Amino acid sequence: MGIQDTPEEWRTVATATPFTGNKTSVRTDEVVMPDGSTVTRDYQVHPGSVAVLALDDAGRVIVLRQYRHPVRHRLWEIPAGLLDIPGENPLHAAQRELYEEAHVKAEDWRVLVDVYTTPGGCDEAVRVFLAREISAADGERYEVSEEEADMELARVPLDELVRLVLAGALHNNCLAVGVLALHAALTGDGAEALRPADAPWPARPFEA
């Protein structure tokens, strides 16, 4: 089978949810190890997310600058958001986020990469899409609030973002994974070889 992640679930003998928040919660499981011992594992339960690397005809990526309180940084990111509805089609969620955060639409969509962001402490799964053939969205701009109220938008050449990620100047997970994956795709088999936008996603199954 070669190098490939495979599903597996070790036996859980007890579970509790000591904290439930607005979007996520914390779960405590008692998990049986291979030697028969039992250990406690605490982790964040997350609905999943989508992110969009939107590439314009000039080879520039749409990026947003937003304050992130847990890390006390204002980070450059790509449009992203939660899967708010269980079983929601991730493409629909990605299209919504691109409209709400950047007020653009795209005609060509492909799956760029799927990742678990922090599998040692959170079950969040993220699907990063590549969106091309972008143009201004129709209608009024989405009304933003809270951390999104003062977001900055920019269009930065893909090669420059790759350089900044490798230089340690950019730290957002989805941005770093997205630009490096796209750079690899473009220097390999090309974007046309990427998976279709409706490719299966076992980590977050959805209705077509």
Side-chain angles (χ1 to χ4, degrees):
M1 184 170 59
I3 301 298
Q4 180 176 335
D5 296 336
T6 56
E8 184 171 336
E9 185 171 356
W10 293 1
R11 187 162 65 96
T12 299
V13 296
T15 187
T17 304
F19 171 79
T20 300
N22 185 34
K23 296 292 185 181
T24 66
S25 60
V26 173
R27 184 173 296 162
T28 299
D29 289 344
E30 297 290 333
V31 185
V32 179
M33 297 289 105
D35 64 1
S37 63
T38 302
V39 300
T40 299
R41 291 290 179 262
D42 301 318
Y43 58 99
Q44 183 184 21
V45 178
H46 194 286
S49 306
V50 292
V52 184
L53 196 153
L55 187 71
D56 69 15
D57 292 340
R60 300 174 302 175
V61 176
I62 294 177
V63 290
L64 316 165
R65 190 169 182 246
Q66 182 174 345
Y67 175 67
R68 294 300 188 182
H69 186 71
V71 295
R72 308 310 199 265
H73 270 70
R74 192 181 290 266
L75 300 177
W76 284 102
E77 308 178 351
I78 56 178
L82 298 175
L83 291 169
D84 294 319
I85 304 169
E88 181 178 16
N89 187 313
L91 175 59
H92 299 165
Q95 291 169 333
R96 179 185 67 237
E97 293 300 329
L98 186 60
Y99 161 73
E100 291 181 356
E101 296 192 351
H103 199 65
V104 298
K105 60 183 179 180
E107 299 301 321
D108 184 84
W109 290 84
R110 298 175 188 274
V111 174
L112 184 54
V113 65
D114 297 327
V115 294
Y116 291 115
T117 54
T118 50
C122 179
D123 70 352
E124 181 183 16
V126 179
R127 169 158 282 188
V128 183
F129 289 90
L130 170 64
R132 297 183 298 173
E133 298 178 27
I134 61 176
S135 60
D138 302 323
E140 299 293 325
R141 293 193 68 95
Y142 180 78
E143 186 175 346
V144 296
S145 61
E146 299 174 352
E147 287 93 342
E148 296 180 349
D150 68 342
M151 284 195 308
E152 300 174 49
L153 276 75
R155 296 193 182 198
V156 182
L158 175 64
D159 289 347
E160 177 66 3
L161 291 175
V162 170
R163 185 188 70 79
L164 291 169
V165 167
L166 296 179
L170 300 175
H171 306 88
N172 176 264
N173 182 295
C174 292
L175 183 148
V177 169
V179 300
L180 295 177
L182 181 57
H183 177 74
L186 295 178
T187 55
D189 295 332
E192 305 305 320
L194 293 170
R195 288 172 290 162
D198 60 353
W201 190 17
R204 293 294 184 273
F206 61 91
E207 295 288 338

